[in-house]
Amino acid sequence: MLKMNNISKIYRTDLVETHALSGVNLTVDEGEFIAVTGPSGSGKTTFLNITGLLETFEEGEYILDGEDVSQLSDKHLSRLRNEKIGFIFQGFNLIADLNLYDNIEVPLIFRGINQKERKQRIEESLELVGLGSRANHYPAQLSGGQQQRVAIARALAGKPRFLLADEPTGNLDTMMARQVMELLQDINRQGTTLIMVTHDNELAQRAHRNIQILDGQVSDIAKSQLTDLAV
Ligand code: ADP
Ligand code: ADP
């Protein structure tokens, strides 16, 4: 479970202060699938980055699986992130010079997972996303949808409890977006909590619960209210 109490985030530069998040309260249960919508600049990425322990915050309390993360050292935070969180980005973020196997292996090496275990996880996760026969291929040899499936395999190989996706289908055509979405939903049905930022209301409709971010404030929103306003 994940719980945020009154979380605020301010970005400061020499001239301006941006209140990216203001007083966010949210509880996410184990196994939920939550879609996050909201206009550009409303705080969605900031929210996801704080949720995934990529960014800190100045105010409030964040409890992740029973642990109060506001008090943790950077080292402890990165360990927690590696153990519990998987990320998927709009731009896939694969390394062009590495084949699919090696792309998935890199974060596992960083985590100190032994070679035998790495091999098993890589093969399993590539199989799961339907790319078991492509381990030696390079990202450029794949379609966008396939590349995103590799990124999903890379996240899954970490065995995350929480999968955080920032516009995972934003660079894909409609057909591929649907396929990637079905894969994410399958993963969620197996028990991984899924939090996904999307501009696509049709995809957002598939979530168990929808939240909207407006000017750094988070609120629940009914599916019937998912309109083009979110764009
Ligand atoms: P993030 O910061 O999470 O990547 P943004 O909201 O900043 O998301 O949008 C990322 C990119 O998508 C930006 O280049 C933005 O202009 C573009 N974008 C924003 N809203 C839409 C939309 N409704 N449809 C398509 N592209 C969008
Ligand atoms: P979204 O993902 O909804 O487009 P973001 O979370 O990316 O929104 O941004 C929320 C607000 O915080 C925006 O006004 C953005 O310009 C600002 N912001 C985001 N990241 C930074 C940063 N590193 N430094 C300064 N301002 C930032």
Side-chain angles (χ1 to χ4, degrees):
M1 198 183 86
L2 174 166
K3 195 166 168 54
M4 291 184 180
N5 292 318
N6 212 18
I7 294 281
S8 293
K9 170 78 183 182
I10 302 171
Y11 290 110
R12 289 191 176 81
T13 62
D14 289 346
L15 295 172
V16 277
E17 272 193 357
T18 306
H19 291 251
L21 292 177
S22 311
V24 172
N25 293 303
L26 183 74
T27 301
V28 178
D29 288 330
E30 194 82 39
E32 270 200 288
F33 167 17
I34 295 191
V36 182
T37 51
S40 224
S42 58
K44 302 182 298 296
T45 297
T46 304
F47 165 75
L48 213 60
N49 287 346
I50 288 178
T51 305
L53 310 176
L54 283 173
E55 271 187 58
T56 55
F57 46 91
E58 27 276 310
E59 255 176 64
E61 182 186 54
Y62 176 19
I63 315 279
L64 180 67
D65 269 347
E67 197 151 10
D68 182 353
V69 306
S70 358
Q71 309 300 329
L72 301 179
S73 65
D74 285 351
K75 198 174 155 196
H76 196 149
L77 279 177
S78 64
R79 201 182 74 215
L80 208 58
R81 183 190 319 127
N82 288 332
E83 278 172 12
K84 294 192 190 279
I85 314 270
F87 289 97
I88 300 163
F89 304 96
Q90 180 172 1
F92 323 136
N93 296 11
L94 300 173
I95 302 169
D97 298 342
L98 298 181
N99 67 26
L100 308 192
Y101 189 101
D102 294 342
N103 261 284
I104 299 172
E105 188 170 34
V106 168
L108 302 178
I109 294 172
F110 272 113
R111 284 179 59 182
I113 292 168
N114 72 49
Q115 196 191 358
K116 184 161 168 259
E117 168 92 15
R118 291 201 302 266
K119 183 167 187 287
Q120 192 184 338
R121 289 194 189 194
I122 295 164
E123 286 171 357
E124 264 176 27
S125 61
L126 271 177
E127 205 61 52
L128 198 110
V129 302
L131 293 169
S133 62
R134 311 287 292 263
N136 296 325
H137 288 223
Y138 286 81
Q141 296 174 290
L142 305 181
S143 70
Q146 289 170 329
Q147 290 185 49
Q148 191 58 299
R149 276 149 55 195
V150 176
I152 292 171
R154 179 181 53 192
L156 290 179
K159 298 191 187 292
R161 301 270 302 281
F162 301 89
L163 198 53
L164 307 184
D166 198 347
E167 297 269 9
T169 61
N171 279 343
L172 304 177
D173 66 32
T174 311
M175 280 287 289
M176 291 206 191
R178 289 212 179 111
Q179 285 171 12
V180 163
M181 194 60 239
E182 313 251 310
L183 176 61
L184 291 174
Q185 283 184 280
D186 279 343
I187 292 161
N188 168 251
R189 286 188 204 105
Q190 319 269 330
T192 308
T193 306
L194 173 61
I195 303 180
M196 177 180 78
V197 167
T198 183
H199 282 111
D200 185 331
N201 288 330
E202 190 195 319
L203 298 184
Q205 295 276 357
R206 298 180 182 224
H208 301 146
R209 183 148 71 99
N210 290 84
I211 64 176
Q212 188 178 42
I213 307 193
L214 286 178
D215 293 334
Q217 302 203 325
V218 169
S219 54
D220 277 283
I221 175 173
K223 288 206 170 122
S224 58
Q225 286 176 282
L226 281 174
T227 64
D228 292 337
L229 276 180
V231 170

